[in-house]
Amino acid sequence: MVELAYVIAGSEATGGAGLQADLKTFQELGVYGVGTITCIVSFDPKNGWGHRFVPVDPQVIADQIEAATTAHDLDVVKVGMLGTPATIDVVARALRGQSWRHVVLDPVLICKGQEPGAALDTDTALREQILPLATVVTPNLFEARTLSGMDVIETPEQLVEAARRIADLGPRYVVAKGGVDLPGPDAIDVLYDGEEAIVFAAPKIGDERVAGAGCTLAAAITAELAKGASVASAVEFAKEFVTAGIEGRVAANTPFDTVWQGAYVEQLTLDDDL
Ligand code: PXL
């Protein structure tokens, strides 16, 4: 029987990030994906591809969660962009309403185009209501700085310290992502499990951010956990999967490329043919 993975996240209209990237990742990794939409992001090509952000009505989010969790016995969920305190309230209530084997939180903090004031409320609500429910959280460098309260994170050691501080806020496992933003030749990610830190390093592929990398990494971790992997092996595999997706990235008319979730399986097929 196929395993199921659930995602509660925003729609991103170009197909590069958000729920679209999550569901593509689930499909590539052989799990049956179920998705709930929290908000709709439509980049604006007339305005520097800035974010246009529309939250879904909280009752409609609750209805979607009711349909998804009643139709299926779901025990592994990824939480992506939430976007407003009202959305966070309704998602936190739903998460508390049943037990989960894993809650993987991609703590998407701000979205360009949102009011800074509203974003602060959202950050606080995410930290107070969702973070303590997460078993795994995957902050990027900016999110790691915000959640840890550390102004400067420039070395792998500082990234480990940030992961420790974020673990103190509730989640058992913290995957802190240095990505292209941490200085040095390698893309460094840290997995902290409450006791020890494992540092993953892979040579950076270019020095530009590729859209959808964070979403895809957290979704790949979620899919692997759904299939029964340990957190450490899920994270290690997810990094390989995203690295392939970045290597095989899709160019678009946007100023940034996007991850191709099909690249990992394509590479495997090529290897088999040799
Ligand atoms: O990559 C972060 C992200 C997550 N979710 C949605 C987004 C974005 C970035 O654009 O639009 C819906």
Side-chain angles (χ1 to χ4, degrees):
M1 252 256 309
V2 66
E3 303 294 341
L4 283 83
Y6 184 32
V7 54
I8 301 174
S11 167
E12 190 279 280
T14 70
L19 195 78
Q20 287 85 347
D22 296 325
L23 291 175
K24 287 185 244 185
T25 301
F26 289 173
Q27 187 76 11
E28 283 296 329
L29 295 178
V31 298
Y32 181 98
V34 178
T36 286
I37 298 192
T38 56
C39 59
I40 299 173
V41 172
S42 318
F43 295 151
D44 184 355
K46 300 183 296 309
N47 187 22
W49 300 94
H51 287 44
R52 292 176 291 200
F53 167 85
V54 179
V56 171
D57 182 279
Q59 185 57 50
V60 178
I61 298 173
D63 292 349
Q64 294 177 75
I65 296 174
E66 180 187 27
T69 57
T70 310
H72 301 291
D73 296 325
L74 303 167
D75 68 353
V76 174
V77 60
K78 172 188 158 171
V79 178
M81 185 164 171
L82 298 173
T84 73
T87 300
I88 288 169
D89 280 347
V90 73
V91 171
R93 205 172 316 129
L95 290 177
R96 281 190 234 106
Q98 71 161 84
S99 69
W100 300 92
R101 194 155 56 80
H102 276 291
V103 175
V104 178
L105 173 64
D106 186 10
V108 180
L109 282 181
I110 47 163
C111 170
K112 276 180 282 173
Q114 278 184 273
E115 293 285 321
L120 194 64
D121 287 356
T122 304
D123 293 0
T124 306
L126 191 82
R127 180 199 297 262
E128 289 179 355
Q129 295 187 57
I130 307 284
L131 201 58
L133 304 174
T135 56
V136 182
V137 61
T138 62
N140 63 22
L141 202 60
F142 166 75
E143 293 152 356
R145 269 195 223 109
T146 311
L147 293 173
S148 68
M150 288 168 63
D151 292 337
V152 179
I153 304 176
E154 287 176 348
T155 65
E157 293 71 29
Q158 287 169 333
L159 197 58
V160 171
E161 176 56 24
R164 266 199 205 103
R165 293 191 193 188
I166 295 167
D168 287 342
L169 302 173
R172 164 88 198 269
Y173 298 92
V174 179
V175 182
K177 302 174 291 183
V180 292
D181 297 325
L182 198 76
D186 287 343
I188 306 274
D189 298 312
V190 164
L191 169 62
Y192 179 68
D193 67 3
E195 286 173 14
E196 280 183 310
I198 306 176
V199 177
F200 299 94
K204 286 180 182 170
I205 307 159
D207 49 16
E208 297 285 333
R209 294 165 135 264
V210 175
C215 300
T216 302
L217 184 88
I221 294 171
T222 307
E224 292 304 297
L225 293 173
K227 292 188 281 185
S230 68
V231 172
S233 59
V235 171
E236 190 174 4
F237 173 79
K239 176 135 172 142
E240 266 180 55
F241 184 82
V242 176
T243 302
I246 292 173
E247 281 166 359
R249 63 188 170 267
V250 175
N253 298 320
T254 49
F256 41 79
D257 297 341
T258 65
V259 168
W260 165 225
Q261 285 80 15
Y264 179 82
V265 172
E266 273 178 7
Q267 281 188 4
L268 285 185
T269 319
L270 276 177
D271 289 349
D272 282 352
D273 290 346
L274 289 179

